[in-house]
Amino acid sequence: MRTSPWLPLLLLLLLAIPSRAAAAIETGDSAAPLRVFILDQPPWSYLHEGQPYGAAVEVARAVLHRLGREVEFVVTPFNRGLSLVMQGKLDAALAVYRTPEREKLLHYTTVPIYDEDVILMVHPGDRHLAADTGGTGRDAILYGEKPVALALGYSYGPTMDLLLARKGLIRTSSFYSLQEGVQALLRHEVAAVPGTEPTLRALLRRLAPGREPVFMFPAFDYVSAYMAFALTAANASLTADFDSALGRMRASGEYARILAEADRTLHAHQEQ
């Protein structure tokens, strides 16, 4: 059987295709939409009728649009989403806290997406606890016999993360999402849910409209949430560009306008 003289060249071309694809992934393709992991965490990020919304979503979208990049938002549980970013299967994670472990595996922005306090929310029926702002009631809840609801993979800021790392100090019960933790609180299965006031308030309104939240003060930490990109050479440059654009938006007042509009949108969705 006679062999075509073009066959060796064809085989070489076919073998070169995977190498070029791998190089494109490594260096980044500015024409391809960035795939960004988000949580169901109103008011910062959430889905409404299958579409992504939220203040952090709109801020990230505006910054990336200014940089000439399209974006697709992907909602997954926290551990899975962060793992996919660290593996390079997604491009970035939106609004995550810094931890020493994560900083080794991600390109973090320096300008935060937002900042807020980490506090405890207890059952809406425990309104008598709301008057305690000295920490006694908070500590009774945190170190008591009933577990505290934790979302798998979450960081709760440096102070609470250290407390939780001390095995046996605080009883905990784990859930795949913060919403599941709030649902367990409403069923009286846990004593409290740690988180941030805007998100806990929004989730309670979603799950139990008309119920007023009860928060335990003082707060544990004042923390910042950042954009975190997959660890590639192209993303190192993109991270710096993201910082510059977001910094200018904060200085100009555009950032504040985006947050205000996102808040109006959230309230409209909650009324539906």
Side-chain angles (χ1 to χ4, degrees), residues 28 33 47-48 70 113 140 150 159 168 180 195 201 241:
L47 290 181
H48 180 74
E70 297 297 320
I113 300 291
L150 301 182
T159 300
E180 290 180 0
R201 185 181 295 276
D241 292 342

Side-chain angles (χ1 to χ4, degrees), residues 34 86 94 96 102 164 173 175 211 218 251 261 271:
L34 289 168
M86 289 177 177
L94 176 61
V96 291
R102 293 175 189 170
L164 295 171
S173 185
F175 300 89
R211 304 297 298 273
E261 180 59 32
E271 296 298 329

Side-chain angles (χ1 to χ4, degrees), residues 65-131:
H65 179 74
R66 180 169 292 189
L67 298 177
R69 301 300 302 268
E70 297 297 320
V71 59
E72 296 176 1
F73 294 101
V74 180
V75 178
T76 75
F78 188 85
N79 273 349
R80 174 172 170 75
L82 204 60
S83 176
L84 289 173
V85 176
M86 289 177 177
Q87 295 171 37
K89 295 179 180 179
L90 292 177
D91 297 294
L94 176 61
V96 291
Y97 296 165
R98 289 181 182 272
T99 70
E101 296 78 12
R102 293 175 189 170
E103 287 187 294
K104 298 174 185 175
L105 300 167
L106 297 164
H107 286 305
Y108 270 94
T109 58
T110 303
V111 180
I113 300 291
Y114 59 83
D115 318 90
E116 53 189 358
D117 288 325
V118 176
I119 56 176
L120 286 181
M121 182 174 77
V122 296
H123 193 277
D126 294 331
R127 297 220 61 81
H128 62 284
L129 297 176

Side-chain angles (χ1 to χ4, degrees), residues 231-260:
L231 207 59
T232 68
N235 283 344
S237 176
L238 180 57
T239 302
D241 292 342
F242 191 98
D243 269 334
S244 297
L246 179 54
R248 289 193 295 271
M249 288 171 58
R250 280 181 171 267
S252 69
E254 183 180 355
Y255 171 86
R257 290 192 293 272
I258 291 172
L259 262 58

